PDB file of all heavy atoms in Angstrom:
ATOM      1  N   ARG A  11       0.846  -1.188  -0.035  1.00  0.00           N
ATOM      2  CA  ARG A  11       0.054   0.060   0.020  1.00  0.00           C
ATOM      3  C   ARG A  11       0.903   1.272   0.027  1.00  0.00           C
ATOM      4  O   ARG A  11       1.926   1.247   0.674  1.00  0.00           O
ATOM      5  CB  ARG A  11      -0.790   0.041   1.231  1.00  0.00           C
ATOM      6  CG  ARG A  11      -1.915  -1.169   1.346  1.00  0.00           C
ATOM      7  CD  ARG A  11      -2.702  -1.077   2.536  1.00  0.00           C
ATOM      8  NE  ARG A  11      -3.609  -2.207   2.625  1.00  0.00           N
ATOM      9  CZ  ARG A  11      -4.439  -2.414   3.632  1.00  0.00           C
ATOM     10  NH1 ARG A  11      -4.350  -1.643   4.792  1.00  0.00           N
ATOM     11  NH2 ARG A  11      -5.160  -3.509   3.666  1.00  0.00           N
ATOM     12  N   PRO A  12       0.411   2.310  -0.623  1.00  0.00           N
ATOM     13  CA  PRO A  12       1.220   3.498  -0.648  1.00  0.00           C
ATOM     14  C   PRO A  12       1.264   4.130   0.746  1.00  0.00           C
ATOM     15  O   PRO A  12       0.279   4.073   1.570  1.00  0.00           O
ATOM     16  CB  PRO A  12       0.439   4.446  -1.668  1.00  0.00           C
ATOM     17  CG  PRO A  12      -1.002   3.858  -1.663  1.00  0.00           C
ATOM     18  CD  PRO A  12      -0.851   2.450  -1.391  1.00  0.00           C
ATOM     19  N   SER A  13       2.385   4.847   1.073  1.00  0.00           N
ATOM     20  CA  SER A  13       2.559   5.450   2.325  1.00  0.00           C
ATOM     21  C   SER A  13       1.615   6.698   2.484  1.00  0.00           C
ATOM     22  O   SER A  13       1.208   7.255   1.381  1.00  0.00           O
ATOM     23  CB  SER A  13       4.015   5.876   2.529  1.00  0.00           C
ATOM     24  OG  SER A  13       4.275   6.843   1.535  1.00  0.00           O
ATOM     25  N   PRO A  14       1.296   7.154   3.698  1.00  0.00           N
ATOM     26  CA  PRO A  14       0.557   8.395   3.879  1.00  0.00           C
ATOM     27  C   PRO A  14       1.271   9.543   3.154  1.00  0.00           C
ATOM     28  O   PRO A  14       0.526  10.448   2.593  1.00  0.00           O
ATOM     29  CB  PRO A  14       0.498   8.528   5.399  1.00  0.00           C
ATOM     30  CG  PRO A  14       0.690   7.212   5.935  1.00  0.00           C
ATOM     31  CD  PRO A  14       1.604   6.467   4.937  1.00  0.00           C
ATOM     32  N   GLU A  15       2.600   9.591   3.161  1.00  0.00           N
ATOM     33  CA  GLU A  15       3.302  10.717   2.553  1.00  0.00           C
ATOM     34  C   GLU A  15       3.063  10.662   1.000  1.00  0.00           C
ATOM     35  O   GLU A  15       2.909  11.762   0.348  1.00  0.00           O
ATOM     36  CB  GLU A  15       4.719  10.622   2.860  1.00  0.00           C
ATOM     37  CG  GLU A  15       5.151  10.758   4.275  1.00  0.00           C
ATOM     38  CD  GLU A  15       4.946   9.505   5.140  1.00  0.00           C
ATOM     39  OE1 GLU A  15       4.621   8.478   4.569  1.00  0.00           O
ATOM     40  OE2 GLU A  15       5.039   9.730   6.368  1.00  0.00           O
ATOM     41  N   ALA A  16       3.034   9.497   0.406  1.00  0.00           N
ATOM     42  CA  ALA A  16       2.778   9.388  -1.009  1.00  0.00           C
ATOM     43  C   ALA A  16       1.383   9.798  -1.376  1.00  0.00           C
ATOM     44  O   ALA A  16       1.187  10.496  -2.323  1.00  0.00           O
ATOM     45  CB  ALA A  16       2.940   7.891  -1.478  1.00  0.00           C
ATOM     46  N   ILE A  17       0.403   9.463  -0.511  1.00  0.00           N
ATOM     47  CA  ILE A  17      -0.957   9.913  -0.768  1.00  0.00           C
ATOM     48  C   ILE A  17      -1.052  11.419  -0.667  1.00  0.00           C
ATOM     49  O   ILE A  17      -1.770  12.031  -1.541  1.00  0.00           O
ATOM     50  CB  ILE A  17      -1.902   9.208   0.287  1.00  0.00           C
ATOM     51  CG1 ILE A  17      -1.951   7.709   0.070  1.00  0.00           C
ATOM     52  CG2 ILE A  17      -3.302   9.845   0.140  1.00  0.00           C
ATOM     53  CD1 ILE A  17      -2.610   6.961   1.178  1.00  0.00           C
ATOM     54  N   ASP A  18      -0.502  12.069   0.288  1.00  0.00           N
ATOM     55  CA  ASP A  18      -0.471  13.536   0.410  1.00  0.00           C
ATOM     56  C   ASP A  18       0.199  14.132  -0.807  1.00  0.00           C
ATOM     57  O   ASP A  18      -0.342  15.133  -1.378  1.00  0.00           O
ATOM     58  CB  ASP A  18       0.232  13.914   1.683  1.00  0.00           C
ATOM     59  CG  ASP A  18      -0.507  13.622   2.978  1.00  0.00           C
ATOM     60  OD1 ASP A  18      -1.804  13.290   2.807  1.00  0.00           O
ATOM     61  OD2 ASP A  18       0.103  13.568   3.988  1.00  0.00           O
ATOM     62  N   LEU A  19       1.296  13.521  -1.261  1.00  0.00           N
ATOM     63  CA  LEU A  19       1.989  14.122  -2.458  1.00  0.00           C
ATOM     64  C   LEU A  19       1.084  14.031  -3.658  1.00  0.00           C
ATOM     65  O   LEU A  19       1.090  15.024  -4.435  1.00  0.00           O
ATOM     66  CB  LEU A  19       3.275  13.256  -2.701  1.00  0.00           C
ATOM     67  CG  LEU A  19       4.194  13.706  -3.848  1.00  0.00           C
ATOM     68  CD1 LEU A  19       4.662  15.124  -3.670  1.00  0.00           C
ATOM     69  CD2 LEU A  19       5.282  12.712  -4.137  1.00  0.00           C
ATOM     70  N   TYR A  20       0.340  13.054  -3.885  1.00  0.00           N
ATOM     71  CA  TYR A  20      -0.475  12.840  -5.051  1.00  0.00           C
ATOM     72  C   TYR A  20      -1.644  13.837  -4.978  1.00  0.00           C
ATOM     73  O   TYR A  20      -2.200  14.353  -5.975  1.00  0.00           O
ATOM     74  CB  TYR A  20      -0.982  11.417  -5.228  1.00  0.00           C
ATOM     75  CG  TYR A  20       0.048  10.581  -6.010  1.00  0.00           C
ATOM     76  CD1 TYR A  20       1.141  10.058  -5.378  1.00  0.00           C
ATOM     77  CD2 TYR A  20      -0.031  10.371  -7.423  1.00  0.00           C
ATOM     78  CE1 TYR A  20       2.133   9.294  -6.039  1.00  0.00           C
ATOM     79  CE2 TYR A  20       0.875   9.636  -8.018  1.00  0.00           C
ATOM     80  CZ  TYR A  20       1.943   9.176  -7.342  1.00  0.00           C
ATOM     81  OH  TYR A  20       2.905   8.405  -8.058  1.00  0.00           O
ATOM     82  N   MET A  21      -2.192  14.044  -3.747  1.00  0.00           N
ATOM     83  CA  MET A  21      -3.319  15.009  -3.539  1.00  0.00           C
ATOM     84  C   MET A  21      -2.848  16.364  -3.892  1.00  0.00           C
ATOM     85  O   MET A  21      -3.602  17.147  -4.465  1.00  0.00           O
ATOM     86  CB  MET A  21      -3.769  14.909  -2.106  1.00  0.00           C
ATOM     87  CG  MET A  21      -4.634  13.711  -1.820  1.00  0.00           C
ATOM     88  SD  MET A  21      -6.247  13.759  -2.756  1.00  0.00           S
ATOM     89  CE  MET A  21      -7.006  15.226  -2.174  1.00  0.00           C
ATOM     90  N   LYS A  22      -1.634  16.760  -3.467  1.00  0.00           N
ATOM     91  CA  LYS A  22      -1.090  18.055  -3.790  1.00  0.00           C
ATOM     92  C   LYS A  22      -0.944  18.354  -5.275  1.00  0.00           C
ATOM     93  O   LYS A  22      -1.013  19.480  -5.737  1.00  0.00           O
ATOM     94  CB  LYS A  22       0.263  18.284  -3.109  1.00  0.00           C
ATOM     95  CG  LYS A  22       0.127  18.340  -1.672  1.00  0.00           C
ATOM     96  CD  LYS A  22       1.511  18.573  -0.931  1.00  0.00           C
ATOM     97  CE  LYS A  22       1.277  18.536   0.634  1.00  0.00           C
ATOM     98  NZ  LYS A  22       2.633  18.615   1.294  1.00  0.00           N
ATOM     99  N   GLU A  23      -0.787  17.280  -6.051  1.00  0.00           N
ATOM    100  CA  GLU A  23      -0.681  17.381  -7.436  1.00  0.00           C
ATOM    101  C   GLU A  23      -1.994  18.121  -8.076  1.00  0.00           C
ATOM    102  O   GLU A  23      -1.989  18.824  -9.066  1.00  0.00           O
ATOM    103  CB  GLU A  23      -0.436  16.051  -8.150  1.00  0.00           C
ATOM    104  CG  GLU A  23       1.052  15.573  -8.010  1.00  0.00           C
ATOM    105  CD  GLU A  23       2.045  16.607  -8.570  1.00  0.00           C
ATOM    106  OE1 GLU A  23       1.803  16.919  -9.770  1.00  0.00           O
ATOM    107  OE2 GLU A  23       2.996  16.910  -7.916  1.00  0.00           O
ATOM    108  N   GLY A  24      -3.111  17.702  -7.490  1.00  0.00           N
ATOM    109  CA  GLY A  24      -4.370  18.318  -7.915  1.00  0.00           C
ATOM    110  C   GLY A  24      -4.423  19.843  -7.713  1.00  0.00           C
ATOM    111  O   GLY A  24      -4.941  20.528  -8.519  1.00  0.00           O
ATOM    112  N   ASP A  25      -3.830  20.201  -6.522  1.00  0.00           N
ATOM    113  CA  ASP A  25      -3.856  21.669  -6.254  1.00  0.00           C
ATOM    114  C   ASP A  25      -2.901  22.409  -7.181  1.00  0.00           C
ATOM    115  O   ASP A  25      -3.122  23.667  -7.366  1.00  0.00           O
ATOM    116  CB  ASP A  25      -3.383  21.866  -4.718  1.00  0.00           C
ATOM    117  CG  ASP A  25      -4.346  21.234  -3.762  1.00  0.00           C
ATOM    118  OD1 ASP A  25      -5.560  21.167  -4.087  1.00  0.00           O
ATOM    119  OD2 ASP A  25      -3.873  20.834  -2.705  1.00  0.00           O
ATOM    120  N   ARG A  26      -1.911  21.770  -7.730  1.00  0.00           N
ATOM    121  CA  ARG A  26      -0.980  22.420  -8.604  1.00  0.00           C
ATOM    122  C   ARG A  26      -1.538  22.582 -10.023  1.00  0.00           C
ATOM    123  O   ARG A  26      -0.864  23.248 -10.799  1.00  0.00           O
ATOM    124  CB  ARG A  26       0.342  21.724  -8.568  1.00  0.00           C
ATOM    125  CG  ARG A  26       1.073  21.638  -7.278  1.00  0.00           C
ATOM    126  CD  ARG A  26       2.389  20.837  -7.321  1.00  0.00           C
ATOM    127  NE  ARG A  26       3.271  21.393  -8.337  1.00  0.00           N
ATOM    128  CZ  ARG A  26       3.790  20.703  -9.402  1.00  0.00           C
ATOM    129  NH1 ARG A  26       3.417  19.471  -9.589  1.00  0.00           N
ATOM    130  NH2 ARG A  26       4.512  21.251 -10.305  1.00  0.00           N
ATOM    131  N   THR A  27      -2.575  21.957 -10.323  1.00  0.00           N
ATOM    132  CA  THR A  27      -3.005  21.904 -11.675  1.00  0.00           C
ATOM    133  C   THR A  27      -3.260  23.262 -12.285  1.00  0.00           C
ATOM    134  O   THR A  27      -2.740  23.609 -13.386  1.00  0.00           O
ATOM    135  CB  THR A  27      -4.372  21.144 -11.791  1.00  0.00           C
ATOM    136  OG1 THR A  27      -4.203  19.791 -11.377  1.00  0.00           O
ATOM    137  CG2 THR A  27      -4.804  21.055 -13.292  1.00  0.00           C
ATOM    138  N   GLU A  28      -3.941  24.092 -11.464  1.00  0.00           N
ATOM    139  CA  GLU A  28      -4.204  25.557 -12.102  1.00  0.00           C
ATOM    140  C   GLU A  28      -2.928  26.244 -12.250  1.00  0.00           C
ATOM    141  O   GLU A  28      -2.793  26.982 -13.318  1.00  0.00           O
ATOM    142  CB  GLU A  28      -5.063  26.259 -11.083  1.00  0.00           C
ATOM    143  CG  GLU A  28      -5.502  27.664 -11.526  1.00  0.00           C
ATOM    144  CD  GLU A  28      -6.436  28.335 -10.648  1.00  0.00           C
ATOM    145  OE1 GLU A  28      -6.783  27.799  -9.645  1.00  0.00           O
ATOM    146  OE2 GLU A  28      -6.801  29.506 -10.922  1.00  0.00           O
ATOM    147  N   GLU A  29      -1.942  26.064 -11.344  1.00  0.00           N
ATOM    148  CA  GLU A  29      -0.671  26.765 -11.452  1.00  0.00           C
ATOM    149  C   GLU A  29       0.051  26.332 -12.672  1.00  0.00           C
ATOM    150  O   GLU A  29       0.731  27.210 -13.401  1.00  0.00           O
ATOM    151  CB  GLU A  29       0.090  26.467 -10.222  1.00  0.00           C
ATOM    152  CG  GLU A  29       1.505  27.048 -10.133  1.00  0.00           C
ATOM    153  CD  GLU A  29       2.401  26.594  -8.967  1.00  0.00           C
ATOM    154  OE1 GLU A  29       1.786  26.069  -8.026  1.00  0.00           O
ATOM    155  OE2 GLU A  29       3.614  26.527  -9.042  1.00  0.00           O
ATOM    156  N   ILE A  30       0.056  25.068 -12.859  1.00  0.00           N
ATOM    157  CA  ILE A  30       0.761  24.460 -14.088  1.00  0.00           C
ATOM    158  C   ILE A  30       0.136  25.006 -15.374  1.00  0.00           C
ATOM    159  O   ILE A  30       0.895  25.391 -16.329  1.00  0.00           O
ATOM    160  CB  ILE A  30       0.729  22.934 -14.090  1.00  0.00           C
ATOM    161  CG1 ILE A  30       1.563  22.438 -12.877  1.00  0.00           C
ATOM    162  CG2 ILE A  30       1.275  22.417 -15.388  1.00  0.00           C
ATOM    163  CD1 ILE A  30       1.411  20.993 -12.579  1.00  0.00           C
ATOM    164  N   ILE A  31      -1.244  25.046 -15.432  1.00  0.00           N
ATOM    165  CA  ILE A  31      -1.921  25.503 -16.656  1.00  0.00           C
ATOM    166  C   ILE A  31      -1.525  27.013 -16.855  1.00  0.00           C
ATOM    167  O   ILE A  31      -1.238  27.408 -18.077  1.00  0.00           O
ATOM    168  CB  ILE A  31      -3.420  25.373 -16.554  1.00  0.00           C
ATOM    169  CG1 ILE A  31      -3.796  23.896 -16.428  1.00  0.00           C
ATOM    170  CG2 ILE A  31      -4.065  25.983 -17.745  1.00  0.00           C
ATOM    171  CD1 ILE A  31      -3.350  23.042 -17.672  1.00  0.00           C
ATOM    172  N   LYS A  32      -1.596  27.827 -15.914  1.00  0.00           N
ATOM    173  CA  LYS A  32      -1.238  29.157 -16.037  1.00  0.00           C
ATOM    174  C   LYS A  32       0.189  29.351 -16.552  1.00  0.00           C
ATOM    175  O   LYS A  32       0.435  30.249 -17.417  1.00  0.00           O
ATOM    176  CB  LYS A  32      -1.348  29.928 -14.678  1.00  0.00           C
ATOM    177  CG  LYS A  32      -2.837  30.157 -14.235  1.00  0.00           C
ATOM    178  CD  LYS A  32      -2.845  30.912 -12.937  1.00  0.00           C
ATOM    179  CE  LYS A  32      -4.312  31.209 -12.514  1.00  0.00           C
ATOM    180  NZ  LYS A  32      -4.364  31.881 -11.196  1.00  0.00           N
ATOM    181  N   ARG A  33       1.181  28.532 -16.078  1.00  0.00           N
ATOM    182  CA  ARG A  33       2.608  28.664 -16.512  1.00  0.00           C
ATOM    183  C   ARG A  33       2.671  28.345 -17.983  1.00  0.00           C
ATOM    184  O   ARG A  33       3.347  28.948 -18.686  1.00  0.00           O
ATOM    185  CB  ARG A  33       3.403  27.810 -15.603  1.00  0.00           C
ATOM    186  CG  ARG A  33       4.900  27.978 -15.844  1.00  0.00           C
ATOM    187  CD  ARG A  33       5.808  27.102 -15.006  1.00  0.00           C
ATOM    188  NE  ARG A  33       5.749  25.727 -15.284  1.00  0.00           N
ATOM    189  CZ  ARG A  33       5.211  24.791 -14.430  1.00  0.00           C
ATOM    190  NH1 ARG A  33       4.773  25.121 -13.268  1.00  0.00           N
ATOM    191  NH2 ARG A  33       5.217  23.572 -14.806  1.00  0.00           N
ATOM    192  N   ARG A  34       1.945  27.292 -18.319  1.00  0.00           N
ATOM    193  CA  ARG A  34       2.041  26.866 -19.751  1.00  0.00           C
ATOM    194  C   ARG A  34       1.447  27.848 -20.687  1.00  0.00           C
ATOM    195  O   ARG A  34       1.850  27.978 -21.784  1.00  0.00           O
ATOM    196  CB  ARG A  34       1.333  25.467 -19.889  1.00  0.00           C
ATOM    197  CG  ARG A  34       2.214  24.328 -19.285  1.00  0.00           C
ATOM    198  CD  ARG A  34       1.545  22.987 -19.346  1.00  0.00           C
ATOM    199  NE  ARG A  34       2.389  21.989 -18.722  1.00  0.00           N
ATOM    200  CZ  ARG A  34       1.979  20.682 -18.440  1.00  0.00           C
ATOM    201  NH1 ARG A  34       0.709  20.351 -18.794  1.00  0.00           N
ATOM    202  NH2 ARG A  34       2.868  19.857 -17.890  1.00  0.00           N
ATOM    203  N   MET A  35       0.352  28.584 -20.162  1.00  0.00           N
ATOM    204  CA  MET A  35      -0.202  29.589 -21.068  1.00  0.00           C
ATOM    205  C   MET A  35       0.746  30.768 -21.250  1.00  0.00           C
ATOM    206  O   MET A  35       0.914  31.297 -22.352  1.00  0.00           O
ATOM    207  CB  MET A  35      -1.551  30.133 -20.357  1.00  0.00           C
ATOM    208  CG  MET A  35      -2.599  29.066 -20.206  1.00  0.00           C
ATOM    209  SD  MET A  35      -3.178  28.618 -21.805  1.00  0.00           S
ATOM    210  CE  MET A  35      -4.553  29.723 -21.988  1.00  0.00           C
ATOM    211  N   MET A  36       1.547  31.030 -20.170  1.00  0.00           N
ATOM    212  CA  MET A  36       2.472  32.054 -20.272  1.00  0.00           C
ATOM    213  C   MET A  36       3.694  31.589 -21.190  1.00  0.00           C
ATOM    214  O   MET A  36       4.159  32.399 -21.998  1.00  0.00           O
ATOM    215  CB  MET A  36       3.119  32.405 -18.900  1.00  0.00           C
ATOM    216  CG  MET A  36       2.104  33.072 -17.918  1.00  0.00           C
ATOM    217  SD  MET A  36       1.365  34.638 -18.559  1.00  0.00           S
ATOM    218  CE  MET A  36       2.831  35.747 -18.303  1.00  0.00           C
ATOM    219  N   ASP A  37       3.977  30.348 -21.092  1.00  0.00           N
ATOM    220  CA  ASP A  37       5.005  29.828 -22.070  1.00  0.00           C
ATOM    221  C   ASP A  37       4.560  29.902 -23.561  1.00  0.00           C
ATOM    222  O   ASP A  37       5.361  30.229 -24.412  1.00  0.00           O
ATOM    223  CB  ASP A  37       5.282  28.316 -21.728  1.00  0.00           C
ATOM    224  CG  ASP A  37       5.974  28.089 -20.429  1.00  0.00           C
ATOM    225  OD1 ASP A  37       6.659  29.081 -19.904  1.00  0.00           O
ATOM    226  OD2 ASP A  37       5.950  26.972 -19.946  1.00  0.00           O
ATOM    227  N   ALA A  38       3.272  29.676 -23.745  1.00  0.00           N
ATOM    228  CA  ALA A  38       2.703  29.848 -25.074  1.00  0.00           C
ATOM    229  C   ALA A  38       2.831  31.265 -25.614  1.00  0.00           C
ATOM    230  O   ALA A  38       3.122  31.488 -26.784  1.00  0.00           O
ATOM    231  CB  ALA A  38       1.167  29.371 -25.074  1.00  0.00           C
ATOM    232  N   MET A  39       2.553  32.171 -24.704  1.00  0.00           N
ATOM    233  CA  MET A  39       2.689  33.596 -25.057  1.00  0.00           C
ATOM    234  C   MET A  39       4.158  33.974 -25.429  1.00  0.00           C
ATOM    235  O   MET A  39       4.422  34.694 -26.418  1.00  0.00           O
ATOM    236  CB  MET A  39       2.259  34.552 -23.865  1.00  0.00           C
ATOM    237  CG  MET A  39       2.279  36.068 -24.146  1.00  0.00           C
ATOM    238  SD  MET A  39       3.899  36.724 -23.830  1.00  0.00           S
ATOM    239  CE  MET A  39       4.054  36.548 -22.021  1.00  0.00           C
ATOM    240  N   VAL A  40       5.047  33.422 -24.699  1.00  0.00           N
ATOM    241  CA  VAL A  40       6.526  33.643 -24.957  1.00  0.00           C
ATOM    242  C   VAL A  40       6.863  33.061 -26.386  1.00  0.00           C
ATOM    243  O   VAL A  40       7.548  33.666 -27.089  1.00  0.00           O
ATOM    244  CB  VAL A  40       7.392  33.082 -23.837  1.00  0.00           C
ATOM    245  CG1 VAL A  40       8.867  33.089 -24.233  1.00  0.00           C
ATOM    246  CG2 VAL A  40       7.112  33.862 -22.565  1.00  0.00           C
TER     247      VAL A  40
END
């Protein structure tokens, strides 16, 4: 079974989605 730390890490990936999309949009502008 995955460790509690691994579960938390994967949950945080969801929170980073908006940030990643914004960065990629800025990359497209560049």
Side-chain angles (χ1 to χ4, degrees):
R11 298 177 180 176
S13 65
E15 293 81 10
I17 293 170
D18 290 342
L19 179 65
Y20 276 80
M21 281 299 296
K22 288 177 182 177
E23 286 299 309
D25 297 332
R26 292 180 60 238
T27 302
E28 185 178 358
E29 176 190 337
I30 292 170
I31 295 299
K32 286 181 179 179
R33 187 177 70 244
R34 287 177 180 169
M35 297 292 270
M36 295 299 286
D37 290 342
M39 182 275 294
V40 172

